[in-house]
Amino acid sequence: MSAPRLGFVAQTHTGAVEYDDLVAAGATEGFDFVELYMDGATERRALDPERIETLHERHGLDLAVHLPFVDLDLGSPRPLVREASRRELEACLDAAAEMGAEKAVLHADTDATPPEFGRESVLPHALESIERLDAYADDAGVEVCVENLPGRLFSTYDFDVLTAETDASLTLDTGHARVDGLDEAEMADALREFDDRISHVHVNDSRVPEDEHVPVGSGTIDFERAFRPVRDGDWDGTLSVEVFTFDFDYVATSRRKLEAWL
């Protein structure tokens, strides 16, 4: 297997940093791709797909996207809500394809929760939405990767459900996995067990079992152990540093530490 490509999630949603500057910095640092967060200041209506594609070609970087999620509901028991959410995400996938994106990270979630709605009533709707979006993305030439969300509809423990009921690829978020209670050996086991379905990994550290997204190496996750399957050549997807910071130095440091462990 070939070595995994390394990228980073661009924290552009608040408008505090410019996407062009991040792409240039990523190229200088030696990243292979950028994962564009398509929300807030960089949601699809604010983007010029042709300009984004040209920008990436100029700097020699590939592109992935993180689809919006905060106000969308793919598991709602209300058909019109689900349909509107899917249509918005389809429009985002169209834009992603126009920009030349290879992968699209998806939060397949719902705000329909107990006591009004139980898991059994929303799960089929979310799975149907995933299947429809995956098929739509496939036609557009983009790979949908469903992310594990701790304490939500699809946590790290639901990878078996996602692989059994859908054809979509998966995103493993290391910080989310830790919140779900997985240790480094169990993260490695997940990479081995679902090696043909986990296509993308969000790499972020934490000091405690909370969703901190601190720079890689500044927390307590033993990535050398967690990524043993990567080092052994048993997994060759894409790794994306997802650090909640506007200071690119921390992103660059995360890449260097990650590369050393790999």
Side-chain angles (χ1 to χ4, degrees), residues 72-216:
L72 302 177
D73 196 317
L74 294 177
S76 173
R78 308 181 199 280
L80 295 180
V81 173
R82 290 199 309 276
E83 182 62 26
S85 296
R86 286 194 297 259
R87 289 180 63 184
E88 175 58 34
L89 288 170
E90 287 170 357
C92 290
L93 288 167
D94 287 338
E98 288 183 55
M99 292 185 289
E102 173 188 349
K103 298 181 181 182
V105 175
L106 173 67
H107 285 198
D109 203 13
T110 181
D111 287 322
T113 55
E116 291 81 7
F117 302 104
R119 177 181 171 87
E120 68 284 350
S121 66
V122 297
L123 183 62
H125 299 313
L127 291 170
E128 179 194 14
S129 291
I130 293 170
E131 277 289 82
R132 288 178 59 174
L133 288 169
D134 182 54
Y136 189 93
D138 188 58
D139 288 341
V142 180
E143 180 185 6
V144 163
C145 304
V146 182
E147 184 174 356
N148 57 318
L149 304 173
R152 304 295 297 182
L153 188 59
F154 296 112
S155 73
T156 318
Y157 296 109
D158 294 303
F159 277 173
D160 56 344
V161 175
L162 288 165
T163 54
E165 300 294 334
T166 79
D167 293 321
S169 297
L170 304 174
T171 294
L172 171 66
D173 184 296
T174 58
H176 294 175
R178 187 177 185 196
V179 175
D180 276 333
L182 276 71
D183 62 21
E184 292 87 348
E186 290 168 317
M187 293 182 204
D189 288 342
L191 284 173
R192 291 191 184 94
E193 181 179 357
F194 301 104
D195 66 308
D196 61 334
R197 297 294 292 275
I198 296 177
S199 176
H200 193 57
V201 173
H202 277 169
V203 187
N204 53 83
D205 215 337
S206 64
R207 296 160 295 181
V208 292
E210 295 181 6
D211 192 18
E212 293 188 303
H213 284 262
V214 297
V216 175

Side-chain angles (χ1 to χ4, degrees), residues 184-258:
E184 292 87 348
E186 290 168 317
M187 293 182 204
D189 288 342
L191 284 173
R192 291 191 184 94
E193 181 179 357
F194 301 104
D195 66 308
D196 61 334
R197 297 294 292 275
I198 296 177
S199 176
H200 193 57
V201 173
H202 277 169
V203 187
N204 53 83
D205 215 337
S206 64
R207 296 160 295 181
V208 292
E210 295 181 6
D211 192 18
E212 293 188 303
H213 284 262
V214 297
V216 175
S218 65
T220 56
I221 296 179
D222 183 350
F223 287 100
E224 188 169 2
R225 188 180 183 196
F227 290 153
R228 177 66 64 181
V230 184
R231 296 184 63 187
D232 292 345
D234 298 330
W235 183 86
D236 65 347
T238 45
L239 295 164
S240 193
V241 173
E242 188 179 30
V243 176
F244 291 169
T245 178
F246 298 136
D247 187 336
F248 191 79
D249 286 346
Y250 293 110
V251 179
T253 298
S254 295
R255 187 201 67 80
R256 290 192 289 270
K257 287 183 174 292
L258 179 59

Side-chain angles (χ1 to χ4, degrees), residues 34-49:
V34 183
E35 184 176 327
L36 170 58
Y37 181 28
M38 295 181 67
D39 213 342
T42 46
E43 65 104 6
R44 67 174 177 84
R45 293 172 298 174
L47 299 173
D48 179 342

Side-chain angles (χ1 to χ4, degrees), residues 8 19-30 34 55 59 61 248:
F8 67 96
Y19 186 67
D20 293 39
D21 295 338
L22 288 179
V23 173
T28 299
E29 179 58 30
V34 183
L55 175 69
H59 289 284
L61 291 178
F248 191 79

